[in-house]
């Protein structure tokens, strides 16, 4: 009645579908890669302080941003970021023997807070799924 094509609704009005098996497996692999990068960065940043910290954060940024662009969706950047965060949180806990991986120094805090900032930035910069159909924007 409004003159619009009612069959092509908004992307928000479409029902959510679970990802395909291949895409779900890809997200699991990206999650594990993020956890590996987080664990490697946790070991690297105190060993070679300024360079190791920058290298660990650059590795996380490269994985998250590259995965987001390769997958073409925001989930590609979020999956390795969640893996990195899980690894970092699990490695901050001390063991009953008193052993711990992160010391209470500036480098550890920069690694944790910088990694969170990098994950948020990469997830924000990742491409967002665009709805199919005719575009209502001008000059497209």
């Amino acid at each position: 009645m409004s003159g619009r094509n009612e069959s092509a609704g908004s992307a928000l009005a479409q029902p959510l579908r679970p990802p395909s098996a291949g895409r779900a497996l890809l997200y699991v692999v990206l999650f594990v890669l993020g956890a590996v990068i987080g664990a490697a960065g946790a070991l690297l940043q105190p060993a070679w302080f300024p360079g190791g910290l920058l290298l660990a954060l650059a590795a996380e940024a490269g994985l998250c941003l590259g995965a987001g662009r390769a997958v073409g969706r925001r989930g590609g950047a979020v999956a390795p970021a969640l893996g990195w965060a899980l690894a970092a949180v699990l490695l901050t806990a001390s063991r009953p023997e008193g052993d711990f991986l992160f010391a209470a120094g500036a480098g550890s805090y920069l690694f944790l807070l910088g990694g969170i900032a990098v994950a948020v930035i990469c997830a924000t910069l990742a491409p967002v799924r665009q709805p199919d159909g005719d575009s209502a924007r001008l000059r497209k």
Side-chain angles (χ1 to χ4, degrees), residues 42-64:
L43 295 172
L44 180 67
Q45 62 89 18
W48 183 44
F49 172 60
L53 175 66
L54 293 175
L55 186 62
L57 293 178
E60 181 198 2
L63 177 64
C64 291

Side-chain angles (χ1 to χ4, degrees), residues 5-80:
N5 185 2
E6 297 296 330
S7 64
S10 170
L12 295 175
Q14 303 298 323
L16 291 176
R17 293 176 302 191
S20 66
R23 188 173 296 272
L25 179 65
L26 177 65
Y27 287 153
V28 169
V29 168
L30 289 174
F31 181 85
V32 170
L33 280 175
V36 168
I37 292 291
L43 295 172
L44 180 67
Q45 62 89 18
W48 183 44
F49 172 60
L53 175 66
L54 293 175
L55 186 62
L57 293 178
E60 181 198 2
L63 177 64
C64 291
L65 196 57
R69 298 239 172 140
V71 173
R73 298 190 182 199
R74 189 165 284 165
V78 171

Side-chain angles (χ1 to χ4, degrees), residues 52-107:
L53 175 66
L54 293 175
L55 186 62
L57 293 178
E60 181 198 2
L63 177 64
C64 291
L65 196 57
R69 298 239 172 140
V71 173
R73 298 190 182 199
R74 189 165 284 165
V78 171
L82 289 175
W84 182 93
L86 181 67
V89 166
L90 290 177
L91 291 175
T92 58
S94 63
R95 296 180 34 183
E97 295 87 19
D99 298 336
F100 58 90
L101 191 60
F102 287 104

Side-chain angles (χ1 to χ4, degrees), residues 105-117:
S108 297
Y109 292 122
L110 284 174
F111 175 71
L112 293 172
L113 295 176
I116 292 168

